Amino acid sequence: MHVNSNSPITPMTARRGRPLAGRARVPGDKSISHRALILGALAVGTTRITGLLEGEDVLNTAQAMRALGARVERTGVGAWRVDGVGVAGFAAPAGPLDFGNSGTGCRLVMGAVAGCPISATFDGDASLRKRPMRRVLDPLALMGAHVIDAAEGGRLPISLAGARDPMPILYRTPVPSAQIKSAMLLAGLAAPGVTTVIETEASRDHTELMLRHFGAEVKSEPEGIHGRRISLTGQPELAPSNVAVPADPSSAAFPMVAALLAPGSDVFLPDVMTNPLRTGLIATLREMGAVIVEEEVRHDGGEAMAGFRVRHCALRGVEVPPQRAPAMIDEYPILAVAAAFAEGTTVMRGLKELRVKESDRLAATAEMLRVNGIDVEISGDDLAVRGRGHAAGGGLVATHMDHRIAMAALVLGLAAEKPVTVDDAGFIATSFPGFVELMRRLGGDLA
Ligand code: S3P
């Protein structure tokens, strides 16, 4: 694996060329894939998963589930079988759990381990070692887990002792984060009574939906104007379930924006998950003037999905309100690229959380645009991109171990006047294996 095996750094260049055309299914949703493996491992019996994202982040979670005692087997392309050990049934792993580049894998498994009477060491790559973990460790400590050892600032590597008698608590998350909420709900599975998480801005609800799919009792009620109060009844017997993973809207975002920007393009992206807590980018692109048509709408396993037809379109600058951030938190780098090709200024507000992603994504996004001749400004937590309908390109983009910066920069290169090069395309494999091949099949010039 790229992250763990010193594989060579792979620069890559994207050039403007033909229109993009054709049908392409992007890989399975990353959030759903992590959760299917973890809930499968906490159920008693056999869970079968189809369409699993076989990217490095998710493969690391699969490996962690094995190390914690579940049987996890690949039975075909995207087809996986998980034989779970039951709620609170994890066994102490023989060595450290390595989550590579993945904050989601690491934080969710911390929650699941916090509800078990075992200790485990969590580690990851240089990017993950920089990311804040206290946001998850604080509520888990209130539930009875404790940190045995951590690097400075409560960062990885971290040794965590799970609770012998986990306590259900009521907790208000300090930032809207599905990872904090999910870690608490996974720990709360082992606690007697009701664990309640209150968030002032609703974050993605895949954990709640999938917990219900596996038979747990989860209530979700509105809280304030934009928030939610989520309550889980602890100590359920999770029933093994089948999960069909829909295509990842955060991955579909890249060919979608590429098709909007490259003149003459016409692309169809089937089976993309349309959970409203994930589709902020589509709402924003539509406000910018994009015509994105939904076809083949259907439901599967508690989640809705649709095919998206996207054609080249002229875009205009818009203002993106801070309340929309949770529903498009991973999409700002590619939205910033779309904004560069729009006419007029796009202002994206309330991007504080971008600073603690796989990189400081606010700075990395601004830098990606700046080195390609685009006028961009950060003020406080806001990002303004002054679009002129076209972009110079010609830059070398530092990806900072961030897959989404790499993909956004390559999409920029497909539409800019001069080629765009990224210093390392290797991290794309964490979330979107086959990205380069898929974009080439649609006609993109990536080399
Ligand atoms: C994720 C939640 C988001 C997102 C990440 C996946 C998840 O992080 O950025 O890529 O699957 O729960 P936060 O919840 O920390 O915002």
Side-chain angles (χ1 to χ4, degrees), residues 70-377:
R71 213 173 119 203
V72 182
E73 230 184 304
R74 184 178 193 259
T75 57
V77 179
W80 289 66
R81 176 193 158 129
V82 183
D83 290 290
V85 294
V87 167
F90 282 160
L97 305 173
D98 186 349
F99 291 91
N101 196 245
S102 178
T104 308
C106 182
R107 294 185 178 124
L108 266 54
V109 176
M110 279 181 173
V113 163
C116 301
I118 58 163
S119 297
T121 300
F122 294 77
D123 205 355
D125 68 10
S127 154
L128 193 55
R129 281 183 173 200
K130 284 191 210 153
R131 297 180 66 185
M133 294 294 157
R134 281 204 183 119
R135 50 177 54 202
V136 173
L137 298 172
D138 288 350
L140 295 180
L142 295 173
M143 299 177 83
H146 71 270
V147 173
I148 304 166
D149 197 16
E152 212 184 308
R155 291 179 205 262
L156 299 182
I158 290 172
S159 295
L160 184 69
R164 283 204 173 275
D165 297 303
M167 280 170 293
I169 62 167
L170 180 148
Y171 189 76
R172 249 172 225 283
T173 58
V175 287
S177 162
Q179 296 181 4
I180 304 176
K181 171 178 64 180
S182 301
M184 290 190 62
L185 294 176
L186 291 170
L189 282 173
V194 177
T195 295
T196 301
V197 185
I198 298 176
E199 38 184 22
T200 46
E201 307 270 352
S203 67
R204 63 189 70 190
D205 59 358
H206 308 304
T207 304
E208 296 91 302
L209 295 177
M210 203 182 290
L211 277 168
R212 277 192 208 123
H213 186 59
F214 276 74
E217 198 185 316
V218 185
K219 267 202 312 201
S220 177
E221 299 155 303
E223 172 85 14
I225 306 174
H226 303 291
R228 290 218 179 144
R229 167 188 287 255
I230 299 109
S231 308
L232 165 80
T233 305
Q235 300 185 334
E237 172 129 345
L238 293 183
S241 289
N242 294 338
V243 179
V245 184
D248 193 328
S250 298
S251 297
F254 298 102
M256 182 179 283
V257 170
L260 286 172
L261 301 185
S265 295
D266 182 355
V267 162
F268 186 71
L269 306 165
D271 297 340
V272 180
M273 184 165 62
T274 53
N275 181 316
L277 293 167
R278 294 287 300 281
T279 48
L281 174 73
I282 293 171
T284 305
L285 290 172
R286 284 181 172 148
E287 286 170 12
M288 295 171 82
V291 180
I292 301 169
V293 180
E294 282 172 52
E295 299 171 11
E296 302 174 7
V297 179
R298 62 195 177 88
H299 278 77
D300 201 341
E303 296 281 2
M305 61 197 87
F308 287 102
R309 176 162 298 283
V310 193
R311 296 191 178 94
H312 169 67
C313 246
L315 301 176
R316 57 182 174 271
V318 294
E319 183 150 335
V320 189
Q323 301 81 358
R324 197 175 290 165
M328 55 179 297
I329 193 64
D330 293 334
E331 278 66 79
Y332 286 100
I334 190 63
L335 174 63
V337 169
F341 288 85
E343 290 287 353
T345 301
T346 294
V347 184
M348 299 161 235
R349 300 204 186 276
L351 307 190
K352 190 163 181 224
E353 275 297 293
L354 284 199
R355 295 194 187 276
V356 291
K357 293 296 175 190
E358 285 81 334
S359 65
D360 174 346
R361 226 175 235 172
L362 185 50
T365 299
E367 198 51 31
M368 161 183 66
L369 297 184
R370 209 167 275 136
V371 298
N372 285 292
I374 296 145
D375 186 2
V376 53
E377 192 188 335

Side-chain angles (χ1 to χ4, degrees), residues 17-40:
R18 287 185 286 149
L20 300 183
R23 180 185 173 103
R25 191 194 194 273
V26 303
D29 186 72
K30 184 151 70 72
S31 294
I32 302 262
S33 295
H34 284 297
R35 286 158 173 82
L37 289 168
I38 297 169
L39 289 191

Side-chain angles (χ1 to χ4, degrees), residues 5-18:
S5 67
N6 304 321
S7 51
I9 289 171
T10 32
M12 182 159 292
T13 300
R15 291 183 169 75
R16 189 157 80 172
R18 287 185 286 149

